[in-house]
Amino acid sequence: MNQTGRLSRTTRPRRYELLITPDLDASTFSGEVVVALEMSEPTDTIVLHAKGLDVALVELSQGGAPVAADLRIDAEREYIVITAQQPLLAGDAILELQFDGPISNGLFGFYRSTYLDEAGAERVLAATQFEAAHARCAFPCFDEPEFKAMFAITLVVADGLLALSNGPEIDREKLPDGNVRVRFGTTIPISTYLVAWVVGPLEVTEPVDACGVAVRVAHVPGRGHLTQFALDVGAFAIEFFEDYYGIAYPGEKCDLVALPDFSFGAMENLGCVTFRETRLLLDPDAATLDETTGAALTIVHEIAHMWFGDLVTMKWWNGIWLNEAFATFMQHLGIDAYKPEWKTWDEFALARAAALDVDALENTRTVEYEVVTPQDADGMFDLLTYQKGGSVLRMLERWLGADAFRAGVRHYLSRYQLSNTETTDLWDALEEATGRPVRRIMDTWIFQPGFPTVRVGEGRLEQRRFCYSGAGHDERWVLPVLARIHTGESVETRSLLTDAEVVPLEVPDGSLVVLNAGGEGFYRVAYPTAWRDRLLDAGVLQPLERFALVDDLWASVLAGDATAAEFLECARRFAGETDPVVWRAVVGHLRTASRLVEGEALERMRIEIAAIVKPATKRLGWDGHSDDARTRQLRGLLVNVLGSTTFDPETIARAREIHEHAEGADADVQAAAISVVASNGTADDFERFVARATETTNPQEQMRYLYSLAEFPSEELVLRAADLALSDEIRAQNGPFVIQRALRNREHGAVVWAFVRDSWPRVLARFSPSLIPRVVEGTTWLVEDGLPDDVLKFVAAHPVPSGARTIAQHMERLRVHRAAVERERDRFSAALLQAP
């Protein structure tokens, strides 16, 4: 063992024979594991992981002969230590252990989940969630990603229960005690965090063939009608990635498992992918475009991992960002091929903007950083890993060219399949395939924090780190820049800005230049006002470029480099906009700008927003049956704004009518109507929404009603929503998001904060540590006088170690927002009240 606490590399597992016998009624399990080991040098000590298990040594043997040995448990370090009475020789050995432990009530390890059947009776199942370091809670193992091994898993379960694992079922035997022994095929070498099994009263669909791979969906009984979408997307993804990667699917089957209780969106266990129900079970005719694409992207993301993450795996948790960033990039590439009309790369702009917002903080981080323990990796599961990482890969792909990028990825996967890698191995493979300086570029994006803003002026480009605090920084990036020059015709140019502070910019007289052409670079552009106005007047900007222009300008407001009045003036120019993703930037930031003012100025701001939104709403009308999906999406967005932000009486009345007679409206309008009714709702509405969230079997509809409970205008009702989130009436996986939304309630966020503060022990007891930062995120706009100090002091006094970095980012965002209020409230109010 070394000083970091990582296991010795001199002893490695090659194969696990694993038997698990769960008792769902007692919430316990027992097991046996036989580990085939390989020692690179003589040793008398074998150390592996176990946590919360009672473990007994059955036998240690070498060369077919038993070796006398003792077992010691080191609970503090989560180790079991096997000490042989005589040294083992270099070569092979066999370790056999027995163990038992509890089925967890949390959402990690081997954990318990429940649902109510049609008769209202509770049914119990159990499933695994092992990332990052929770396999050790279910069986003794070498619980680090570098220790890849084959797994042959057997489950002994009560007759009538579904049993699933990574491999296909290859044998089933009825036992004398009435249980059933189910044996699964041996996997390829995988890391322990990718091992999975599920046991319980679930159903599974008939398989769909995808290049010879059987794809199935497992689900709670009664929801089989919601599985066809996932089967279609899953089969498409396997076929797409086999072609893209040039390597066959690395498993023998692909089960997609919808779990009633699940902490994350999904988990890429090889051949046995687990999901939240909302991310897998879906009726496309009853789902909004956001809900549909959200599920499709998640499915494709996890299947992309079968190659990038499962077949080729990082050596240590510092590389988890690349697994997730690459799958984030690939999910959009796959869905763009599946449904190009959804324009998923345009929608990715929203995620990129969120990552830019975090990366503009002093409390941002490098994308890759040193990870000493697996727990240190918990902070990597955030916007910077997924969205910044994915955005930087997209920027690189666009600059290299899609074919060149794909060639490099194929080279990487072919070279390292079944093994483990470091981040730089991918950059080197891309360099070898393209001849471009990929490592030089990517090192500046991965190993230093933040991103640049590119400023234009006097024949030069200047890059400086963009930071809301305005603090001086000297970082520079090797920046792949796409630009477009309009001189009567459009010409796109590719260049690589070095890490110099200033570079020349040659612009022909009378021409228009679009920087960040395509709008997909991970940086901001600070156009001079006259330059920005000329671009808008000329109508040469593509949708993502218009999105970026709006988003960059609002970021400048938060940084103090532009005023809210300037942003509003720019936003007025978008009343004739037709693209949904541009509208999402305009509307999102107008809503945020309204948080800067109060009283009469706020009422005036609502009038301004309505004036911008109403012309588009009038053009669209209310009937969307003949429209494409993105137009329906836009209609729902604008209806929501008019009814929930500007409180337009006509919109509220129509939304209530649609909600009460929903059969005639499309899903995007129905979802908007729920939000509008909630924002203007009564106590009777609240009771109906609670009942509807409980009764519906449609996962997406359930979330619409559940999350809207936080939007009600009554303090009593919003507090009740927060209290419900801490009870068994709302699943622990969903409660943090209800509280987050309640904290964001403009009128009642302050009283919800007091409730959360005073109920903090309940919050910690109810929610997984990984979800606590989601609660705290709701405080970032609690900007009323005195309130930020209370939040900051409380959070500082009640640290959450697993989410410390993310929570620090939330607290900095609160300070940024408060500073914007102090800077803007008086002058923005004056500008609004002076407006005609």
Side-chain angles (χ1 to χ4, degrees), residues 96-114:
E96 185 175 354
L97 303 168
Q98 289 181 340
F99 55 94
D100 57 69
I103 296 176
S104 168
N105 286 319
L107 296 175
F108 57 85
F110 186 27
Y111 72 92
R112 184 176 186 268
S113 177
T114 64

Side-chain angles (χ1 to χ4, degrees), residues 620 631-641 666 668-669 671-673:
L620 292 173
T631 301
R632 295 196 299 271
Q633 178 192 53
L634 176 57
R635 178 184 291 105
L637 171 67
L638 300 183
V639 166
N640 193 323
V641 173
D666 66 77
D668 284 277
V669 169

Side-chain angles (χ1 to χ4, degrees), residues 359-363 453 455 464-475 555-561 812 815-816 819 823:
D359 212 23
L361 302 172
E362 291 290 335
N363 277 298
T453 181
R455 299 183 182 275
R464 295 271 181 92
R465 179 173 168 183
F466 182 90
C467 196
Y468 288 139
S469 69
H473 294 279
D474 58 4
E475 293 95 344
S556 295
V557 175
L558 292 181
D561 296 329
E812 185 178 349
R815 290 192 292 269
V816 167
R823 190 170 56 244

Side-chain angles (χ1 to χ4, degrees), residues 4-185:
T4 66
R6 293 171 64 177
L7 298 178
S8 167
R9 268 55 189 158
T10 60
T11 301
R12 291 179 174 272
R14 294 304 180 199
R15 178 185 173 91
Y16 293 81
E17 297 277 352
L18 182 60
L19 171 67
I20 299 291
T21 303
D23 184 337
L24 298 186
D25 294 331
S27 287
T28 61
F29 66 94
S30 60
E32 301 172 11
V33 64
V34 179
V35 190
L37 301 172
E38 181 180 2
M39 273 77 67
S40 61
E41 60 186 50
T43 183
D44 63 357
T45 304
I46 299 170
V47 181
L48 61 162
H49 293 106
K51 181 180 180 181
L53 301 175
D54 290 327
V55 185
L57 174 63
V58 177
E59 184 176 79
L60 174 64
S61 63
Q62 188 170 52
V67 177
D70 298 314
L71 181 148
R72 176 175 60 86
I73 294 177
D74 183 342
E76 182 179 354
R77 295 197 289 178
E78 301 175 2
Y79 289 163
I80 54 175
V81 182
I82 312 296
T83 304
Q85 293 182 12
Q86 61 187 48
L88 296 163
L89 303 176
D92 297 336
I94 301 293
L95 175 64
E96 185 175 354
L97 303 168
Q98 289 181 340
F99 55 94
D100 57 69
I103 296 176
S104 168
N105 286 319
L107 296 175
F108 57 85
F110 186 27
Y111 72 92
R112 184 176 186 268
S113 177
T114 64
Y115 67 88
L116 299 180
D117 64 18
E118 293 181 353
E122 183 179 77
R123 306 299 302 277
V124 179
L125 62 137
T128 58
Q129 172 57 42
F130 290 159
E131 191 176 34
H134 301 304
R136 65 190 68 180
C137 301
F139 64 102
C141 58
F142 294 77
D143 200 13
E144 296 179 11
E146 187 174 347
F147 292 108
K148 299 180 83 166
M150 296 183 291
F151 284 84
I153 296 173
T154 300
L155 300 176
V156 176
V157 303
D159 193 16
L161 297 183
L162 181 68
L164 301 172
S165 188
N166 302 94
E169 181 180 321
I170 59 174
D171 185 63
R172 174 178 289 260
E173 178 186 1
K174 188 72 172 287
L175 301 178
D177 62 3
N179 288 328
V180 177
R181 180 188 290 120
V182 184
R183 190 160 59 92
F184 301 92

